[in-house]
């Protein structure tokens, strides 16, 4: 590890009411502060709060956290990790209708703690002889990388389909149900959507899979935890995965390892694309590789070449 660069990452979210007229200025304030401090990553700003995953120097991150608490006007909880893979190429601070895309801006959590379970409570509940029904709220390309042992996978393509799933799934409403996601934010809305439909005993995993793995590596979570940055997924020790990638053909989770015929780098291709995608690691390599192949073919056909 001596000669590899370490990237320091933190993620956070906070539902807090931000006046509409303040959102644009706040967005710009956050963006310029982060830019001044050479930070990267993605922060979403909305009237319902703040959500972000960012990287920065270890001296800068504590100051950043303090600033976020100031901007939010309240306590914010952060989850840290480190990576030897650069997680973000650039900085984006975006204004959104929601800080988590559910297409339900009307569903805003008003309590900080809404039926949260700590990783320990979660672990104990799932370790019981008859564990309650457990449902993964994430998308199917995420569950492909890994999920909790015994979890129901709704096979949704998008979080905005959560309501549709609930309507079709015939889940008993009076029985306890446990839900989880990557870092906890989706469950804050998923639980409201369940309450609206009459589910009585829903519990969510505080800080999501990331929080659980921090306390229970190699516990009840099976596989890797998909993340929305260049680390692709995190292993049991919250380090970037070495067994998965994003498919250069379709962009989704891929597990078949290959070597690029143009640049020589290893990459992963998914099962759906393995026969149709060219043997290269990305679109740039594909263009160059195709050029080389065309030239070679032309040469073979022309006896004077
Ligand atoms: Zn693919
Ligand atoms: Zn390549």
């Amino acid at each position: 590890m001596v000669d590899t660069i370490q990237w320091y990452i933190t993620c956070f979210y906070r539902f807090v009411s931000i006046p509409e007229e303040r959102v644009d200025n706040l967005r710009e304030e956050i963006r310029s502060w982060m830019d001044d401090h050479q930070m990267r990553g993605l922060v979403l700003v909305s009237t319902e709060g703040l959500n972000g995953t960012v990287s920065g120097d270890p001296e800068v991150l504590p100051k950043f956290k303090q600033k976020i608490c100031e901007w939010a006007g309240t306590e914010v909880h952060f989850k840290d990790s480190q990576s030897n893979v650069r997680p973000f190429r650039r900085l984006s601070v975006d204004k959104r209708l929601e800080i988590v895309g559910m297409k339900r801006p009307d569903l805003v959590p008003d309590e900080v703690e809404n039926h949260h379970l700590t990783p320990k409570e979660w672990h104990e509940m799932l370790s019981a002889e008859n564990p309650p029904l457990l449902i993964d709220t994430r998308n199917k390309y995420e569950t492909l990388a890994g999920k909790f042992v015994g979890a129901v996978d709704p096979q949704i393509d998008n979080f905005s389909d959560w309501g549709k799933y609930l309507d079709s799934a015939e889940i008993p409403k009076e029985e306890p149900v446990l839900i989880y996601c990557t870092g906890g934010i989706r469950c804050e809305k998923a639980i409201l959507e369940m309450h609206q439909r009459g589910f009585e005993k829903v519990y969510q995993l505080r800080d999501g899979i990331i929080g659980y793995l921090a306390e229970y590596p190699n516990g009840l979570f099976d596989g890797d935890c998909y993340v929305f940055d260049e680390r692709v997924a995190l292993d049991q020790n919250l380090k970037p995965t070495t067994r998965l990638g994003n498919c250069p053909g379709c962009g989704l989770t891929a597990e078949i390892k290959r070597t690029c015929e143009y640049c020589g780098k290893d990459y992963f291709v998914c099962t759906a694309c393995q026969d149709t995608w060219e043997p290269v690691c990305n679109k740039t390599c594909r263009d160059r590789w195709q050029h080389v192949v065309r030239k070679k073919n032309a040469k073979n056909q022309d006896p004077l070449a």
Side-chain angles (χ1 to χ4, degrees):
M1 282 298 188
V2 188
D3 53 355
T4 51
I5 304 171
Q6 280 293 312
W7 299 87
Y8 296 84
I9 300 138
T10 194
C11 60
F12 61 93
Y13 67 84
R14 186 66 159 87
F15 283 96
V16 61
S17 173
I18 298 171
E20 173 74 53
E21 62 276 12
R22 168 102 177 100
V23 173
D24 283 316
N25 286 343
L26 183 59
R27 189 193 76 85
E28 183 46 34
E29 228 176 286
I30 296 174
R31 198 205 55 77
S32 73
W33 194 94
M34 291 180 73
D35 197 36
D36 287 346
H37 293 82
Q38 283 87 45
M39 293 185 70
R40 289 173 183 176
L42 174 64
V43 177
L44 302 179
V45 186
S46 137
T47 52
E48 64 179 24
L50 299 169
N51 177 20
T53 305
V54 300
S55 66
D57 288 342
E59 315 79 64
V60 167
L61 281 180
K63 291 181 204 154
F64 172 76
K65 292 176 182 176
Q66 214 179 330
K67 289 299 288 183
I68 286 290
C69 294
E70 275 172 37
W71 284 316
T74 180
E75 282 294 298
V76 179
H77 177 61
F78 295 87
K79 298 173 285 284
D80 296 338
S81 58
Q82 288 180 30
S83 169
N84 54 9
V85 173
R86 181 182 62 180
F88 305 102
R89 288 170 199 269
R90 47 195 284 264
L91 169 66
S92 310
V93 182
D94 295 345
K95 179 184 175 178
R96 294 279 168 86
L97 201 57
E98 301 171 277
I99 53 171
V100 56
M102 192 186 215
K103 296 184 182 147
R104 291 296 304 270
D106 56 311
L107 291 181
V108 182
D110 56 358
E111 296 162 67
V112 181
E113 295 277 316
N114 191 0
H115 299 90
H116 286 93
L117 296 177
T118 63
K120 185 167 187 279
E121 289 166 335
W122 179 268
H123 186 82
E124 280 166 7
M125 249 168 141
L126 289 183
S127 305
E129 207 167 309
N130 289 308
L133 178 63
L134 172 63
I135 309 178
D136 197 315
T137 66
R138 301 171 305 149
N139 302 321
K140 62 183 180 199
Y141 59 84
E142 298 172 79
T143 56
L144 215 63
K147 66 185 183 72
F148 273 99
V149 176
V152 173
D153 177 3
Q155 292 281 309
I156 52 177
D157 290 312
N158 201 296
F159 185 45
S160 54
D161 294 331
W162 176 246
K164 241 184 280 166
Y165 164 72
L166 292 175
D167 291 337
S168 66
E170 290 177 15
I171 309 159
K173 294 191 172 164
E174 56 294 332
E175 299 287 323
V177 183
L178 268 52
I179 57 171
Y180 68 94
C181 59
T182 316
I185 185 169
R186 273 178 273 188
C187 289
E188 303 282 1
K189 287 211 174 197
I191 196 171
L192 298 184
E193 193 138 17
M194 293 182 83
H195 285 161
Q196 264 192 356
R197 282 171 168 76
F199 289 89
E200 288 164 13
K201 298 176 191 153
V202 191
Y203 300 91
Q204 50 175 322
L205 173 57
R206 178 190 296 162
D207 295 338
I209 301 161
I210 293 178
Y212 178 83
L213 289 177
E215 292 184 36
Y216 292 93
N218 305 307
L220 300 172
F221 186 82
D222 191 19
D224 292 341
C225 174
Y226 188 93
V227 289
F228 295 85
D229 57 58
E230 305 215 359
R231 293 173 293 171
V232 183
L234 305 182
D235 68 13
Q236 294 286 328
N237 298 304
L238 298 176
K239 297 281 187 251
T241 183
T242 52
R243 59 167 203 100
L244 295 169
N246 281 327
C247 176
C250 65
L252 300 181
T253 315
E255 51 189 1
I256 303 165
K257 198 172 187 174
R258 290 207 173 139
T259 304
C260 177
E261 287 194 9
Y262 186 79
C263 74
K265 255 195 258 167
D266 286 341
Y267 70 100
F268 292 88
V269 67
C270 82
T271 43
C273 298
Q274 61 170 329
D275 297 327
T276 49
W277 176 256
E278 289 81 353
V280 288
C281 72
N282 60 33
K283 293 196 167 80
T284 313
C285 279
R286 181 180 61 179
D287 293 346
R288 292 173 182 164
W289 177 80
Q290 282 172 338
H291 184 71
V292 172
V293 170
R294 269 197 302 271
K295 243 168 106 178
K296 214 161 137 193
N297 288 344
K299 211 172 171 182
N300 288 343
Q301 279 159 18
D302 183 358
L304 295 175

